[in-house]
Amino acid sequence: MFDKILIANRGEIALRVIRACREMGIKSVAVHSTADSDAMHVRMADESVCIGPPSGTQSYLSIPAIISACEITGAQAIHPGYGFLSENANFVQIVEDHGLKFIGPSAKHISQMGDKITAKDTAKILGIPCVPGSDGGVATVAEAKKVAAEMGYPVIIKATAGGGGRGMKVAETADDLEMAFSTARSESKAAFGNDEVYMEKYLQKPRHIEIQVFGDGQGNGVHLGERDCSLQRRHQKVFEEAPGPSISPQERAEIGQICANAIGEMGYSGAGTIEFLYEDGQFYFIEMNTRLQVEHPVTEAIFGVDLVREQIRVASGQTLSFTQDDLEINGHAIEVRINAERLPNFAPCPGKVTAYHAPGGLGVRMDSALYNGYSIPPYYDSLIGKLIVHGRDRSEALARLQRALGELIVDGVDTTVPLFHALLEEKDIHTGEYNIHWLERWLETNLQA
């Protein structure tokens, strides 16, 4: 087991890793930019190293600075959290070249699943069901029209190196295709330095269902059920729950076993998430995230496992501490992402937190790096906290969420908390009758500028 781990991240996820390290008796090293000198993860870690100015490019994305911090402190391993360098295969290779351990999958698997086309080809080989689409990249409008005619409209054009909704455009008809194709390519080029795109059939009313998987790199793989992440704004998740209200035990077992088998066959090591669109009882693979997800706490709540602890164990060479038969769902959990944003336009709202009080009580967990007097910097993502609730069933979890939101106090900055108060008044939320388009349409009607 490691003696000291460096966390190459910030905010609540850095705190999450520090807590796991402390429970395991492992020393932790925080890295930080000059803008984060007073951040909570810096205060809580055993050691801290300043790695650059406020810009993420010059600090949290600076591979030389992070490697140097390991050498200075004697850290043996690096936990990347999510975002930043967590899915950068080149970073993983450099870490290993310096005799350090990356707490996550291999560079090979990150690279393999990071390219959307390669990931889809790999999924097909592993027996994972995929949405109908082009065989590889689509280079010209003429080729795009041919593929669309074969699949039928509507279609969606996606950047092969995409993520976060960038480089994605829908063409409802043949008349829309040329503009959607050129826009997707230009967005992809600007965002990722790669203008290659591919095409898929655009499903009308799907849900976003993701399967949490875990492997130990020694041929063992398990799944920890699904999360429903269908409530999204601009392809960004805002409300996640487990188990999914639309998934039957039989469907869960079937798709879960397919994913677990795939992870074992790949020899995958660590946490991963296989994401699907789900419509009319069918699952369609869209991508795999080769890291810990923001929404991992809902899975931890219903299975009673510490996914970060397991990441560290597996990275140190140990086998999984549980089998598929050990994993049983207990109750229902919901997470809402709380951002420092001003409604109704969701404009970032950095600033000083003049008062902060986290909700508590049975079945309530607040993952946040906030404290009274903390100044939220303007340089990073606007996520400032995750409120997670757990109940015996979905109704209890929703009631607990409403109660916990009422206790939460974040003064001095605007947040998205009012959005969740409003959503909990909606019948569709309580019945679970929503899809990936529901929130966008609701916002157009209920939260206009």
Side-chain angles (χ1 to χ4, degrees), residues 9 37 73 77 120 136 149 185 206 273 281 297 303 344 375 380 384 407 440:
N9 217 298
S37 297
T73 60
K120 188 174 180 180
R185 288 192 66 181
T273 304
F303 284 103
S375 290
Y380 315 110
I384 56 171
E407 291 182 16
E440 291 277 13

Side-chain angles (χ1 to χ4, degrees), residues 10 12 82 294 337-341 381-386:
R10 64 181 300 278
E12 62 85 15
Y82 52 73
V294 175
R337 300 190 188 194
I338 297 168
N339 290 359
E341 294 175 348
D381 188 271
S382 58
L383 179 70
I384 56 171
K386 305 180 320 197

Side-chain angles (χ1 to χ4, degrees), residues 153 157 169-182:
Y153 288 90
I157 300 135
K169 293 296 172 184
V170 175
E172 298 282 354
T173 67
D175 293 337
D176 304 329
L177 186 61
E178 186 169 350
M179 177 62 74
F181 182 80
S182 61

Side-chain angles (χ1 to χ4, degrees), residues 108-136:
K108 172 189 172 183
H109 286 142
I110 291 176
S111 179
Q112 184 178 20
M113 305 311 287
D115 179 90
K116 299 296 179 67
I117 293 174
T118 306
K120 188 174 180 180
D121 290 342
T122 301
K124 289 178 180 178
I125 293 170
L126 293 170
I128 299 173
C130 295
V131 65
S134 60
D135 293 324

